[in-house]
Amino acid sequence: MSAQHATHAHDAHGHDDHHHDAGPHSTLSGYMIGFVLSIILTAIPFWLVMAKVIADRNTAVLVLGGFAVIQILVHMVFFLHMNGKIEGGWTLLSTIFTVVFVAIAIAGTLWVMFHMNANMMPEHPTPTPPTHEAPGHSTP
């Protein structure tokens, strides 16, 4: 076995091979960008609520929900390293499938609960309280 063959055999088994792309690679700057974005995406909604910047409750829920979705995406990209390149895109595809499936399940559950409440709950008239006066008697 020659030295060249030994070196080639050594590289063939993956040792000393610095060109592998088996998993996600991140740097300190990537983690710091994610960390700073997470702090900003937490501080802004906190300030919006504490300073009562948004008066309408529905608008506040939509704005805060939007910040929450953006923060989820930041965590997925910067900390979980989810992108279309890892594992041929299967990780990202399975995550998208899971999000769609959960959204359909939640929307269906809310739809069924709303319609059951609207269609199954009878309208009960409020009874008038009985009077305890005997007929023909007046109070002095």
Side-chain angles (χ1 to χ4, degrees):
M1 187 176 208
S2 68
Q4 181 182 11
H5 181 70
T7 304
H8 179 69
H10 192 263
D11 289 338
H13 294 300
H15 302 293
D16 297 332
D17 186 16
H18 298 292
H19 301 290
H20 62 281
D21 290 328
H25 299 286
S26 187
T27 61
L28 179 62
S29 65
Y31 284 120
M32 289 307 294
I33 291 171
F35 179 68
V36 169
L37 285 174
S38 296
I39 290 173
I40 291 170
L41 291 170
T42 301
I44 292 173
F46 182 79
W47 173 74
L48 289 173
V49 170
M50 295 306 289
K52 296 181 178 30
V53 174
I54 303 172
D56 183 39
R57 182 178 174 92
N58 292 332
T59 305
V61 167
L62 289 175
V63 169
L64 297 177
F67 274 105
V69 169
I70 293 170
Q71 191 168 80
I72 289 170
L73 293 174
V74 165
H75 282 265
M76 288 173 63
V77 170
F78 287 99
F79 300 122
L80 298 177
H81 310 292
M82 297 188 76
N83 58 31
K85 299 174 189 170
I86 305 277
E87 296 179 14
W90 286 107
T91 304
L92 184 62
L93 188 64
S94 66
T95 302
I96 291 170
F97 173 76
T98 302
V99 168
V100 169
F101 183 79
V102 168
I104 290 171
I106 290 172
T109 301
L110 292 174
W111 179 73
V112 167
M113 289 170 54
F114 173 77
H115 284 284
M116 284 183 68
N117 186 39
N119 296 326
M120 306 270 305
M121 296 300 291
E123 295 284 332
H124 294 294
T126 307
T128 57
T131 58
H132 295 294
E133 294 182 20
H137 291 235
S138 62
T139 56

